[in-house]
Amino acid sequence: KYKVFNYPDMPEPEIKRGLGEYGDTVYRFHLKDVPAYFPEPRMVHKDALYPFVKVYFGSFKTPGQYGRWYYNTQIKPQLEITDKIKEKAHELTKGAETEIEKITKIKEFVESLPYNADHIGFGHGIMPNKPEVVLRRGFGDCKDKSILLIALLKVLEIDADPVLVLTKDVGELDPEMPYGDFNHLIVRVNTKDGASIWIDPTVRNIGLGQVKWPIADTWGLVAKPQGKNFMVKLPNIDPLENGTNIKTEITVSEDMSLTYKYDILYTGYLAHEKRETIRRSTDSEIMRDLRNGLIDRFFNAEVGDLAISDSEDGSVLKMSFTIEGVKASEVKNTSSHTIQLKPFPNDILPAWGFLWRKERLSPVFIGTPRYVNYDVTINLPQSHKLRSKATSKSLSMPENEISF
């Protein structure tokens, strides 16, 4: 079985049978005028652009057959529900009344275990370790954490399936020929009311049912011991629900000292991502990191009034802080005798410098679709006036549109 990608006018291959001592069959493909491969910064995976032929020699005729084989040979022999697993499941969900509460408790515990793909004496290739082994060791890779999650939910009579996926940094999965192309395992929980909840147990502080950008909007193979095993599209990330809202107030005093006040609102996936960073840091460490980010531009700056608040559902995280002790002489343009006020201490545009090429040959790969909103207020003393202010700028490219 074979399939040609990104070469629509490919002629049928030349087939020669009965060759050699063992009667081999040879398929000869002829591709002409194949464009040269020119790697570019932040480009999409080359498999989405350049021609190639994928050949499959195995015995599986459908993705469903592969899913049943994987479950029955790699998952089922390891999925042991021991007394330790039962005790842990009931311990974690003590006090939880609803099915969603129980799923959330189990999810948060498994996610908290460190990810470790070191298989020296602890691993079986594509086969996970047994749930009690993972529980005892306290760490594991994606398939280890997934089978532990499934086992704990099974104790509570909550149905869950392993789902085989391929991350975007490696390539794009073909739903017709997915055999052996997987590099990651997650879990689909099937609630009693018929809903599906996707859980990647290797990702912390992410909402129930959400997935991270490497597998968002990709194909997954739901593996079951029998019956229908099927390919399914994972949830996408909506850029309008994942963003950063930055409100900046800059006050210029008569003595030309500057005070910056920031209110930053992280929403959706970015809120969970920022929360994971904050979780590992104390307030003093966060302020130190903010200070270190300012040292090159504002030598005498001091960070203060740090405040962090969280919404009940975890979809919004707010961070506020001030920057004081900045003298206008540190940001003065001596050639024009003007002061250039930076609205945000951490530049965003330099990270997108690759966009300003005159021409790109390939689409841009943007990991997490997101938005950034700026709201800047400048308070000037009566002796000064605003000479100019930032204007919007947009840049359009194939399949991407970025505006500033």
Side-chain angles (χ1 to χ4, degrees), residues 107-119:
K107 164 186 171 290
E108 291 175 348
F109 167 73
V110 178
E111 288 176 350
S112 70
L113 301 179
Y115 176 87
N116 191 321
D118 183 3
H119 292 161

Side-chain angles (χ1 to χ4, degrees), residues 308-344:
I308 301 172
S309 58
D310 210 343
S311 63
E312 289 187 5
D313 62 358
S315 63
V316 176
L317 181 71
K318 182 179 181 180
M319 175 185 291
S320 303
F321 59 94
T322 59
I323 301 173
E324 297 180 331
V326 180
K327 292 295 183 180
S329 59
E330 297 180 24
V331 293
K332 185 176 181 181
N333 187 327
T334 55
S335 62
S336 60
H337 300 286
T338 60
I339 297 172
Q340 184 179 17
L341 300 178
K342 299 285 188 178
F344 191 58

Side-chain angles (χ1 to χ4, degrees), residues 111-313:
E111 288 176 350
S112 70
L113 301 179
Y115 176 87
N116 191 321
D118 183 3
H119 292 161
I120 299 177
F122 180 61
H124 311 278
I126 63 173
M127 176 184 284
N129 289 280
K130 294 182 178 181
E132 186 172 331
V133 175
V134 181
L135 182 64
R136 183 178 70 249
R137 287 179 176 252
F139 66 84
D141 63 7
C142 62
K143 57 186 180 294
D144 293 329
K145 299 182 77 172
S146 291
I147 197 171
L148 176 59
L149 178 68
I150 292 170
L152 292 169
L153 292 173
K154 193 176 182 65
V155 173
L156 306 173
E157 298 183 348
I158 299 174
D159 182 48
D161 303 312
V163 182
L164 293 151
V165 297
L166 179 70
T167 55
K168 295 177 183 177
D169 57 319
V170 175
E172 185 175 351
L173 191 66
D174 176 31
E176 296 179 8
M177 296 177 62
Y179 320 107
D181 282 346
F182 308 101
N183 68 344
H184 192 45
L185 192 68
I186 65 171
V187 175
R188 188 188 73 161
V189 181
N190 310 299
T191 64
K192 291 181 174 59
D193 61 1
S196 295
I197 298 176
W198 304 95
I199 299 177
D200 184 343
T202 66
V203 182
R204 296 193 62 172
N205 288 320
I206 194 169
L208 191 64
Q210 291 184 323
V211 294
K212 204 173 181 180
W213 70 261
I215 60 173
D217 197 34
T218 62
W219 287 100
L221 175 57
V222 180
K224 289 178 170 291
Q226 58 186 358
K228 188 176 181 181
N229 289 247
F230 53 91
M231 301 293 298
V232 63
K233 256 304 182 68
L234 272 63
N236 202 357
I237 295 178
D238 186 350
L240 299 181
E241 296 179 358
N242 300 274
T244 308
N245 300 277
I246 304 169
K247 185 176 182 181
T248 308
E249 183 176 354
I250 307 174
T251 301
V252 183
S253 302
E254 289 288 351
D255 63 354
M256 300 309 297
S257 62
L258 308 177
T259 300
Y260 291 74
K261 184 178 185 300
Y262 294 98
D263 291 311
I264 307 175
L265 208 65
Y266 301 94
T267 64
Y269 169 73
L270 295 181
H272 298 295
E273 189 176 61
K274 193 67 178 178
R275 188 178 299 108
E276 172 64 10
T277 302
I278 292 174
R279 180 189 62 82
R280 299 190 299 263
S281 306
T282 63
D283 285 357
S284 60
E285 289 172 336
I286 296 171
M287 294 174 67
R288 181 198 63 196
D289 291 341
L290 289 169
R291 173 75 182 90
N292 290 340
L294 302 170
I295 193 70
D296 290 336
R297 182 176 299 151
F298 305 140
F299 185 74
N300 295 315
E302 292 295 336
V303 180
D305 299 329
L306 177 66
I308 301 172
S309 58
D310 210 343
S311 63
E312 289 187 5
D313 62 358

Side-chain angles (χ1 to χ4, degrees), residues 7 31-37 50-51:
Y7 200 94
L31 280 72
K32 297 180 179 180
D33 301 322
V34 177
Y37 170 52
Y50 295 96

